[in-house]
Amino acid sequence: MARRPLPRILSTGSAQIARSRELARTAADSATDVLHPLITITRGLRRLASAGRRRWAETPKDRRGPLLFLVASVVLVVALVPYGPLLAVISLMAAAAWHGRERKSPEPEEPDESQTQRLQSLYEALVPYFSAAEDPDPLYTHGGEWEKAFPAYDFDATGRITHLLVRYPAYFTDGEAESRARIEQLLHAKSGRGREYHFTWDEEGNELTVTVLAPLPTDIAAQRFVTAPGETVLGFTDPTQVQRTLPLGHGDGQRDVPPVVWRTGIRSTEPHLLVMGQPGSGTSTLLRSIALQALQYGDVVIVEGGGTGEYACLTGRDGVLAVECGLAGALASLEWAATETERRLIAVNHARQAGRPAPDDTKRPLWVLLDRPTAFTHLAAADGRKDPQSLLQVPLRHGRAANVTVVVADQFDSAEALSDPVRQHTRARVVLGPATAEQLEAVLGAPPHTTPVAQVPPGRGYARLGTGPVHRLQVPATPDPYDDATSEADRQAVLALLPERTTPADGETVPSDAVGSETVTSEAVTSEAVVAEAP
């Protein structure tokens, strides 16, 4: 049977459709070439509008009014200038064309031979930890390719790794602290010791980001910080850890540095602080810095167990109630602090029951700073006296309601001598100086996400406020101004922050040639008053 030929329209239809598609594609390409400037300008205007909306959203509400006034003033000036609108339109089109251009992403540079060898050695070292015999398609194998495991990396001028993105299989136990610690220790050793590394684990994406942290600034001197009442600056940290910066004076200029701010007072969840460190790590420097900040709004009682006279510059200053270096003075001062805490609690309770606000004498903050109180523990046991730490139970337990803050600083070799109330009620923690991972976790309650180094400058450590993250910390330089080793700039910076010295009780100025006789007279009067009050 002979086949009938297909209709002409069906036999030539596919060819016509193909030609039509080619003509449409050619027309579209021609239109794109003709309209390319318009497309570029439109894309640029859209990007400029997005940038303007982001800038407006980031602007604080108290600054939006002046910003609108400034924009309106610029528009008015442009409108009044001859050819101003035309020049403004031309400038806008030029800016839109610049921002709307197609930006080609730079091609990643291939690592050289030494960098490739370093990445390959890192890959081989991770094989025993990131491989399993049951894996049908292992990501890590001996002699395998490191390109899939390390998709992103950066090197410094010396050829050492500064940034590394590590991919690992899903069956790796990244939720266990021991497994993560082994990987971090391995990467720290293979990437180069003597630097601090920050590890960010993405458990959902099975990725580990390793970043080399820049050293924290050590040239920040003591100064007045822009803080509110109840805020104390412990030190400064990395810009990626906090969302706040403080303007600081640095020589003749000014710079913004991210701080670690500790909030105290009635609404604080971490009302007391514990500082631990090695000798010479900067614990006394931190206590001096806290004392100078606390004297702006409150009173300070200082108890020094080291007996080195680190706080002699604060003796007799306005707001400094006592600076005690002996056991008898420490017991008397801490007993008064406990009694004052109870008095404030009773006064506040009576005022609340009567429907009145708290008395003014209970609102002024009281700070109790103790440097090495464990040194008095041995002296008290030898003399058969009460341990001064036992007097801290009331201020530690009820200090938040009474506006009483306790700060304790001690050394690691005396950590076992700290009392249970000090351990339980100091929820803000700071560790200064070189410390092992076990010591950091024991004090802070959580390991830091960075690798500690053996050699650190004074005042360098870690801080954790309550259950928050662990921050790197650098304490501002607040040395003893009476120390001969203190530089002149740091000495003047500390002396400028000291309050004025208080005058004698009778309001008279004591001549320099009558200091000895005045001391004897005052002691005699005090002895007579004590005898007269005795029953």
Side-chain angles (χ1 to χ4, degrees):
M1 181 176 180
R3 297 182 57 185
R4 296 180 60 182
L6 294 174
R8 184 177 180 84
I9 187 173
L10 294 180
S11 61
T12 60
S14 59
Q16 291 180 356
I17 292 175
R19 280 196 303 271
S20 300
R21 289 179 179 176
E22 185 177 355
L23 290 174
R25 190 179 298 109
T26 304
D29 294 340
S30 301
T32 303
D33 294 337
V34 173
L35 300 177
H36 184 268
L38 181 59
I39 295 174
T40 303
I41 293 176
T42 304
R43 188 190 304 120
L45 290 175
R46 187 170 61 253
R47 291 177 179 176
L48 290 176
S50 300
R53 285 195 299 268
R54 287 195 304 270
R55 181 64 181 272
W56 177 260
E58 294 174 358
T59 303
K61 294 184 178 179
D62 56 344
R63 297 183 180 180
R64 293 183 178 180
L67 181 60
L68 286 176
F69 179 76
L70 178 61
V71 172
S73 302
V74 172
V75 172
L76 180 61
V77 170
V78 170
L80 296 178
V81 171
Y83 304 103
L86 180 59
L87 294 176
V89 171
I90 295 175
S91 302
L92 180 61
M93 293 298 104
W98 174 259
H99 286 279
R101 71 190 188 280
E102 296 180 356
R103 304 173 184 177
K104 297 182 180 179
S105 57
E107 298 181 358
E109 298 181 358
E110 295 294 333
D112 55 20
E113 184 178 356
S114 61
Q115 295 173 355
T116 302
Q117 184 177 1
R118 183 180 291 271
L119 292 173
Q120 185 67 32
S121 64
L122 270 177
Y123 176 84
E124 295 290 342
L126 292 172
V127 169
Y129 302 95
F130 288 155
S131 63
E134 300 82 5
D135 192 352
D137 186 16
L139 180 62
Y140 289 83
T141 57
H142 290 289
E145 299 179 356
W146 58 265
E147 289 83 356
K148 296 181 180 179
F150 306 147
Y153 47 84
D154 287 321
F155 293 88
D156 58 7
T158 61
R160 295 202 297 176
I161 294 176
T162 58
H163 175 79
L164 181 65
L165 178 61
V166 180
R167 290 178 178 173
Y168 56 88
Y171 52 77
F172 175 72
T173 55
D174 52 3
E176 299 179 1
E178 297 180 357
S179 301
R180 297 166 69 158
R182 286 195 298 266
I183 301 300
E184 293 176 0
Q185 183 179 4
L186 174 64
L187 292 174
H188 178 207
K190 293 295 183 180
S191 300
R193 298 184 182 274
R195 300 183 298 174
E196 289 188 86
Y197 295 86
H198 184 269
F199 300 95
T200 304
W201 291 84
D202 183 7
E203 300 180 4
E204 296 181 358
N206 299 322
E207 292 181 347
L208 169 61
T209 303
V210 185
T211 307
V212 178
L213 298 175
L216 294 177
T218 58
D219 55 350
I220 299 178
Q223 54 191 283
R224 291 296 181 201
F225 303 118
V226 184
T227 56
E231 293 183 345
T232 303
V233 177
L234 299 179
F236 303 93
T237 184
D238 300 299
T240 58
Q241 298 295 318
V242 295
Q243 300 179 354
R244 175 180 178 182
T245 58
L246 288 181
L248 301 179
H250 181 65
D252 297 335
Q254 185 175 335
R255 59 177 174 176
D256 295 338
V257 182
V260 178
V261 178
W262 173 39
R263 293 174 176 83
T264 58
I266 298 177
R267 294 176 178 85
S268 174
T269 57
E270 303 87 18
H272 308 296
L273 175 68
L274 175 62
V275 184
M276 299 295 295
Q278 301 287 354
S281 58
T283 55
S284 299
T285 298
L286 177 56
L287 259 65
R288 267 191 301 270
S289 176
I290 293 175
L292 293 177
Q293 297 180 61
L295 288 173
Q296 299 182 66
Y297 309 105
D299 300 325
V300 175
V301 174
I302 301 176
V303 176
E304 182 189 359
T308 57
E310 293 279 347
Y311 307 93
C313 60
L314 296 172
T315 304
R317 302 287 179 174
D318 186 19
V320 181
L321 304 181
V323 179
E324 300 294 345
C325 301
L327 177 59
L331 289 173
S333 298
L334 295 180
E335 187 174 358
W336 174 86
T339 306
E340 174 66 12
T341 303
E342 295 176 350
R343 185 197 68 81
R344 292 189 175 198
L345 288 175
I346 295 173
V348 171
N349 188 23
H350 287 170
R352 290 178 178 175
Q353 290 181 357
R356 298 192 304 269
D360 294 337
D361 57 353
T362 63
K363 296 180 180 180
R364 184 171 176 82
L366 174 62
W367 292 72
V368 182
L369 310 182
L370 298 94
D371 193 352
R372 296 196 63 190
T374 55
F376 291 122
T377 302
H378 304 288
L379 295 177
D383 294 346
R385 295 188 181 184
K386 184 186 300 184
D387 185 3
Q389 294 188 69
S390 61
L391 300 173
L392 294 175
Q393 185 171 2
V394 174
L396 286 171
R397 179 171 297 179
H398 306 287
R400 180 174 61 177
N403 273 328
V404 178
T405 303
V406 179
V407 180
V408 179
D410 220 303
Q411 300 177 2
F412 280 115
D413 54 1
S414 304
E416 297 180 355
L418 291 174
S419 62
D420 291 338
V422 173
R423 298 172 182 268
Q424 295 174 3
H425 297 285
T426 51
R427 291 176 47 83
R429 302 291 181 90
V430 172
V431 177
L432 297 179
T436 62
E438 292 76 11
Q439 290 175 333
L440 290 173
E441 188 172 0
V443 177
L444 302 176
H449 294 287
T450 60
T451 53
V453 294
Q455 301 294 332
V456 293
R460 173 67 176 82
Y462 297 91
R464 190 187 186 201
L465 305 179
T467 58
V470 179
H471 300 284
R472 286 204 309 166
L473 182 72
Q474 178 63 50
V475 178
T478 316
D480 181 11
Y482 297 161
D483 190 358
D484 296 336
T486 304
S487 63
E488 186 62 26
D490 292 340
R491 178 183 292 108
Q492 294 300 327
V494 175
L495 291 176
L497 300 178
L498 291 175
E500 297 181 358
R501 291 190 179 275
T502 55
T503 56
D506 55 0
E508 299 179 359
T509 305
V510 182
S512 59
D513 56 351
V515 173
S517 60
E518 181 67 23
T519 304
V520 174
T521 305
S522 61
E523 292 180 355
V525 172
T526 305
S527 302
E528 293 178 359
V530 171
V531 173
E533 292 179 359

